[in-house]
Structure formats: structure tokens, C-alpha cells
């Protein structure tokens, strides 16, 4: 599962179109399964090219929308989330926060990457109290280089 937090709420249609544009071999469906919505009629769980996403309200300050994407390939989920976040940021001119495992501090759960205009920044959410009305925002630490990753039309990593 890939998780993205968006600085502006996008419609389900915009997200669906985006996913199907960047991963042409997959068919994306909007389905808020966790809140009890009915499965879309066209969605076939036995079809490996059918994926779905949930777009819900977020508790992260300045990132009002949470997007969770399900049924993509299990391998390289974090790299794919970063790749999707960067493209989403560029395409819609929004900030996108993606949870991140820092390679030098893999046990520190408070790192994120924030994409702004497609550029990547290391962020720290250790002082952010999610869901609190007066919570401090996620703190941008500075620019952060991410190696270029490429994915095929089915969401599989083709180059590190």
C-alpha cells in the first residue's frame, strides 16, 4: 500500500485519472472500503491489474487529504509512493507528503519526504500532534536528493 498526503483536496476522478495515466497497465477504482462503501461494480478482485484507492480526510496539518493505494505490486512500495508523490506534486502543483524511511536512521519513524513543485525535501513530523487543532506543522529539514526510480505501466520498478 502506498500512502500520500496532499496539500489540496483532489477529486476521486482526478486521482483515478492520474493513477491510470502514470500506470497505464492498471485500472484504478475509487473505493472507500474502510468506511463501508460498496465495492465498485466493475472492480474484479481476481484481476491483478485492478487496483483501488481511498481518498479520505487527513489529520496531518496542512495536508488535508490522505490517499491510500491498494493492490499495487508488493515490492518497492516506498519507492513507488515517492515516485507517485513527485509526479502528483508536479502535475497538480501541490505539496505531497510521503512517509519515508531514512537510510541512515531506519528506526526513526518521524521522517517524511515532502514534494513541492516536484522537488524533494526531507521533513520531520516528530513534533506534529496529528488531529489536534493547534498542532505544529510538519517541519521541512531541507532539500533531499532521491535517486531517480522508474516504474513500468504495471507499477513494477524497472530501475533503482
Amino acid at each position: 500500500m502506498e500512502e500520500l498526503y496532499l496539500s489540496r483536496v483532489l477529486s476521486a476522478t482526478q486521482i483515478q485519472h492520474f493513477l491510470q495515466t502514470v500506470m497505464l497497465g492498471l485500472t484504478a477504482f475509487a473505493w472507500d472500503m474502510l468506511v463501508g462503501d460498496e465495492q465498485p461494480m466493475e472492480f474484479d478482485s481476481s484481476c491483478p491489474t485492478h487496483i483501488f484507492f481511498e481518498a479520505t480526510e487527513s489529520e496531518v496539518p496542512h495536508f488535508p487529504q490522505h490517499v491510500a493505494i491498494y493492490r499495487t505490486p508488493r515490492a518497492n512500495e516506498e519507492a513507488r509512493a515517492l515516485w507517485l508523490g513527485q509526479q502528483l506534486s508536479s502535475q497538480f502543483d501541490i505539496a505531497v507528503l510521503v512517509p519515508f524511511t531514512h537510510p541512515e536512521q531506519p528506526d526513526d519513524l518521524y521522517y517524511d519526504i515532502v514534494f513541492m513543485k516536484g522537488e524533494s525535501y526531507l521533513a520531520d513530523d516528530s513534533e506534529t500532534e496529528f488531529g489536534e487543532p493547534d498542532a505544529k506543522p510538519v517541519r521541512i529539514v531541507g532539500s533531499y536528493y532521491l535517486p531517480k526510480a522508474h516504474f513500468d505501466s504495471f507499477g513494477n520498478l524497472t530501475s533503482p
Side-chain angles (χ1 to χ4, degrees), residues 4-19:
L4 310 167
Y5 296 85
L6 313 183
S7 66
R8 179 169 43 92
V9 174
L10 299 180
S11 71
T13 301
Q14 288 173 304
I15 297 167
Q16 181 180 31
H17 179 74
F18 166 77
L19 291 172

Side-chain angles (χ1 to χ4, degrees), residues 77-148:
E77 288 176 330
E78 182 177 79
R80 187 173 29 262
L82 293 167
W83 175 72
L84 289 168
Q86 185 172 32
Q87 292 187 62
L88 197 61
S89 172
S90 293
Q91 184 171 330
F92 289 96
D93 193 23
I94 60 174
V96 178
L97 180 143
V98 180
F100 178 65
T101 303
H102 196 295
E104 295 171 9
Q105 299 171 357
D107 296 327
D108 191 335
L109 305 176
Y110 298 106
Y111 283 113
D112 306 287
I113 295 293
V114 173
F115 294 100
M116 292 184 277
K117 298 186 186 281
E119 298 297 318
S120 54
Y121 298 88
L122 184 63
D124 178 345
D125 65 30
S126 62
E127 295 182 17
T128 304
E129 295 179 39
F130 301 111
E132 295 299 320
D134 58 349
K136 292 180 183 178
V138 173
R139 183 174 61 87
I140 301 294
V141 176
S143 292
Y144 191 83
Y145 170 77
L146 290 171
K148 254 319 189 208

Side-chain angles (χ1 to χ4, degrees), residues 37-81:
D37 282 0
E38 294 285 325
Q39 174 179 317
M41 285 187 67
E42 303 85 8
F43 178 77
D44 180 356
S45 63
S46 67
C47 182
T49 61
H50 283 194
I51 65 172
F52 70 94
F53 66 92
E54 292 183 295
T56 57
E57 187 176 331
S58 165
E59 295 186 338
V60 180
H62 305 288
F63 294 90
Q65 188 172 39
H66 173 246
V67 176
I69 306 164
Y70 301 93
R71 294 180 40 94
T72 53
R74 291 191 185 268
N76 306 300
E77 288 176 330
E78 182 177 79
R80 187 173 29 262

